[in-house]
């Protein structure tokens, strides 16, 4: 039987990778402009790291992690997200001692054993950014503005920003109690997962997509109405800064994130174009995470963009690069001349293609068309003898005569 890729693990073929590179480069440009540097952390970590950060009672840790015992009897896990590993590295290398504010970005594959469908895979890719060491709501607003800027840079204006605040350890317990007493009389209408969440993670009931749960939790108290004065003030400032810089957002008081480390500001970029996989990016503040992992009390905030989902939103737009020139040849001697010319043009930064196998002229021209070359030129005996050739602009057939020399080709034809 032919071997195939593992379910939920995708090949990114050559005709798609141009789109991926375009997204990655757009994000890198915005990160660098905002003073963020790239960090590369391992794709596998000790399992404990994810249990202690994402939370034991989350779907990710309970059901979705690729966890193995390695040959040394250690429990290891393929990273389901990037924040935990980056914070582990920050603590391990004491990056905060070099600079109290660190601005880091990363990209790469993440792994979750979810049910694959459009926009949801078992190996997927995130582009993420984290800023640590700043409590001030300015950092929240900058992170959100940067996220919006990345989507603008990519050329997507459809995903919209939704924000919420999940409060802090001061105010969340009272909210949890209020929510539990609201859910008490409705427990019978909740799905089995939510019945369990009632004890372990009741906030997640607000996020459940089962119609019965949506109905039962209508009118549930909102965290925003239970924020302590400090969280309320913080969130108010975030909103003011967003308004000051013209960043559009809506409030979503039912937004609960699927990871336990969040405090205060949380957010998602959502789209209506990808069915139930509506979040193309998400993140929030995690002021307790670094100390929870054994580091100092350092606040943080960040996000991750789902690359596959952004690629889907970009649709079939063309991102592959096409040659500036296709050189067709008539015989063996001409192929030598053409090969040397191609080499010189390539060395000058021009994208050139030629036929590798000495096919018929007709088939060479078909290839020039297929590759969408901007110009083509045929080199035969006459062209070799005169050192001149006719360069055809493929779009309209217009012909320009030029010497077979790099400089002349560049100025007379390709400029
Ligand atoms: P998350 O919401 O779990 O947050 O994931 C962020 C984004 O990754 C999602 O909005 C989605 O676009 C994409 N994503 C998640 N799971 C899948 C999947 N199975 N297939 C395809 N795409 C997926 C985090 O991971 C946090 N670490 C974000 C963060 C950074 N918070 C603070 N800093």
């Amino acid at each position: 039987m032919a071997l195939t890729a593992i379910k939920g693990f995708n090949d990114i073929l050559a005709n798609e990778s141009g789109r991926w590179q375009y997204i990655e480069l757009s994000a890198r440009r915005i990160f660098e402009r905002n003073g963020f540097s790239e960090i590369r952390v391992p794709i596998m970590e000790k399992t404990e790291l994810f249990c202690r950060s994402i939370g034991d009672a989350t779907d990710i840790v309970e059901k979705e992690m690729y966890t193995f015992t390695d040959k040394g009897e250690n429990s290891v896990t393929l990273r389901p997200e990037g924040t935990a590993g980056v914070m582990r590295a920050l603590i391990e290398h004491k990056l905060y001692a070099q600079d109290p504010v660190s601005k880091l970005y990363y990209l790469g594959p993440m792994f979750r054993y979810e049910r694959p469908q459009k926009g949801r895979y078992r190996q997927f890719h995130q582009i993420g950014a984290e800023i640590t060491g700043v409590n001030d709501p300015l950092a929240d607003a900058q992170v959100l503005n940067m996220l919006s800027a990345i989507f603008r840079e990519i050329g997507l204006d459809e995903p919209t920003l939704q924000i919420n605040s999940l409060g802090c350890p001061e105010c969340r317990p009272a909210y949890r109690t209020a929510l539990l007493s609201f859910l008490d009389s409705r427990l019978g209408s909740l799905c089995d997962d939510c019945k369990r969440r009632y004890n372990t993670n009741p906030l997640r009931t607000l996020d459940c997509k089962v119609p019965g749960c949506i109905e039962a939790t209508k009118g549930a108290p909102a965290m925003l109405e239970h924020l302590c004065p400090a969280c309320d003030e913080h969130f108010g400032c975030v909103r003011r800064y967003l308004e000051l810089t013209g960043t559009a957002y809506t409030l979503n008081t039912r937004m609960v994130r699927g990871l336990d480390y969040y405090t205060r500001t949380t957010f998602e970029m959502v789209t209506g174009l990808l069915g139930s996989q509506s979040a193309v990016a998400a993140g929030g503040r995690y002021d307790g995470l670094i100390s929870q992992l054994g580091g100092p009390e350092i606040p943080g905030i960040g996000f991750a963009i789902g690359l596959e989902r952004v690629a889907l939103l970009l649709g079939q737009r063309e991102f592959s690069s096409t040659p500036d020139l296709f050189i067709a040849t008539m015989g063996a001697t001409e192929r030598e001349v053409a090969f040397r010319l191609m080499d010189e043009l390539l060395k000058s930064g021009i994208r050139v293609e030629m036929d590798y196998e000495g096919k018929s002229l007709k088939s060479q021209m078909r290839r020039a068309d297929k590759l969408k070359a901007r110009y083509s030129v045929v080199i035969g005996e006459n062209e070799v003898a005169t050192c001149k050739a006719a360069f055809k602009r493929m779009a309209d057939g217009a012909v320009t005569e030029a010497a077979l020399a790099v400089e002349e080709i560049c100025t007379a034809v390709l400029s």
Side-chain angles (χ1 to χ4, degrees):
M1 203 172 68
L3 278 174
T4 56
I6 301 168
K7 185 173 174 196
F9 287 61
N10 298 315
D11 298 309
I12 295 134
L13 300 177
N15 64 352
E16 297 164 81
S17 57
R19 203 170 353 149
W20 281 60
Q21 287 167 7
Y22 169 79
I23 299 166
E24 289 164 2
L25 280 172
S26 304
R28 280 183 195 274
R29 263 198 303 278
I30 300 297
F31 288 143
E32 311 263 325
R33 194 179 300 165
N34 281 269
F36 283 66
S37 315
E38 185 178 2
I39 183 167
R40 300 184 186 202
V41 291
I43 60 164
M44 195 149 77
E45 298 271 0
K46 292 177 182 162
T47 302
E48 191 193 346
L49 172 66
F50 302 115
C51 300
R52 275 172 56 184
S53 52
I54 298 169
D56 281 321
T58 57
D59 282 355
I60 296 179
V61 171
E62 272 187 351
K63 308 185 214 161
E64 297 169 3
M65 293 210 303
Y66 278 90
T67 297
F68 314 96
T69 305
D70 72 9
K71 289 186 168 41
E73 298 297 312
N74 307 299
S75 179
V76 294
T77 296
L78 289 177
R79 62 181 185 192
E81 57 105 50
T83 312
V86 173
M87 293 310 124
R88 195 261 315 131
L90 181 110
I91 299 166
E92 188 170 337
H93 304 285
K94 294 195 173 55
L95 301 182
Y96 48 82
Q98 297 154 25
D99 187 341
V101 177
S102 92
K103 298 186 192 176
L104 300 168
Y105 76 88
Y106 50 91
L107 30 95
M110 310 290 159
F111 305 86
R112 294 184 194 174
Y113 195 84
E114 294 195 79
R115 200 149 44 80
Q117 54 179 269
K118 182 179 171 190
R120 190 163 76 189
Y121 311 102
R122 290 180 174 171
Q123 174 179 292
F124 60 98
H125 295 74
Q126 286 186 344
I127 302 179
E130 314 288 349
I131 170 164
T132 57
V134 192
N135 244 321
D136 198 280
L138 265 183
D140 306 44
Q142 189 185 0
V143 158
L144 287 168
N145 285 349
M146 190 167 75
L147 181 59
S148 305
I150 291 174
F151 280 93
R152 259 200 317 280
E153 185 82 0
I154 293 171
L156 289 172
D157 51 13
E158 196 275 333
T160 50
L161 176 63
Q162 298 188 344
I163 64 172
N164 192 19
S165 175
L166 291 181
C168 69
E170 289 285 305
C171 47
R172 208 180 301 159
Y175 170 66
R176 196 175 184 272
T177 309
L179 182 62
L180 285 175
S181 77
F182 172 88
L183 292 173
D184 250 351
S185 57
R186 296 163 173 86
L187 206 52
S189 324
L190 298 180
C191 71
D192 287 347
D193 267 346
C194 282
K195 284 195 180 102
R196 202 169 36 84
R197 286 176 185 141
Y198 174 86
N199 293 312
T200 55
N201 206 347
L203 270 68
R204 291 291 295 172
T205 57
L206 299 179
D207 194 38
C208 183
K209 304 288 184 287
V210 174
C213 296
I214 295 176
E215 189 55 37
T217 56
K218 259 190 197 148
M223 181 70 233
L224 272 192
E225 291 148 14
H226 290 76
L227 295 179
C228 62
C231 286
D232 195 42
E233 165 72 13
H234 192 276
F235 194 56
C237 285
V238 174
R239 295 183 61 182
R240 247 194 325 282
Y241 289 138
L242 292 178
E243 280 148 28
L244 199 68
T245 47
T247 301
Y249 68 87
T250 52
L251 279 183
N252 177 357
T253 57
R254 292 176 69 95
M255 183 201 302
V256 193
R257 306 278 299 116
L259 305 95
D260 279 356
Y261 51 60
Y262 290 114
T263 52
R264 295 190 163 174
T265 315
T266 50
F267 53 87
E268 287 185 353
M269 288 290 254
V270 296
T271 173
L273 302 176
L274 295 179
S276 55
Q277 307 314 310
S278 58
V280 285
R285 191 166 261 291
Y286 44 83
D287 292 344
L289 176 59
I290 296 171
S291 59
Q292 212 172 296
L293 291 175
E297 289 281 344
I298 297 176
I301 179 165
F303 63 76
I305 299 171
L307 238 163
E308 282 81 357
R309 294 185 188 176
V310 177
L312 279 170
L313 284 183
L314 277 178
Q316 294 313 309
R317 270 167 60 182
E318 185 67 63
F319 290 101
S320 51
S321 61
T322 53
D324 296 308
L325 178 65
F326 185 92
I327 309 177
T329 53
M330 303 284 268
T333 322
E334 291 81 43
R335 279 163 64 73
E336 273 185 24
V337 173
F339 187 65
R340 213 184 63 212
L341 181 65
M342 177 169 85
D343 183 61
E344 284 168 6
L345 286 164
L346 286 170
K347 283 173 180 154
S348 323
I350 311 290
R351 287 173 297 183
V352 192
E353 292 266 353
M354 67 178 278
D355 163 56
Y356 290 108
E357 291 161 288
K359 293 216 179 93
S360 73
L361 192 56
K362 199 165 159 206
S363 114
Q364 291 185 59
M365 294 318 289
R366 265 205 305 271
R367 180 136 184 89
D369 270 335
K370 186 171 169 21
L371 292 173
K372 299 196 177 89
R374 202 149 66 87
Y375 280 87
S376 69
V377 64
V378 179
I379 298 185
E381 267 177 36
N382 199 25
E383 284 75 15
V384 173
T386 59
C387 247
K388 274 191 173 164
F391 291 80
K392 185 165 101 177
R393 192 162 59 199
M394 300 294 277
D396 57 4
V399 167
T400 309
E401 177 99 350
L404 292 179
V406 172
E407 231 169 75
E408 178 135 355
I409 295 173
C410 289
T411 48
V413 183
L414 298 177
S415 59

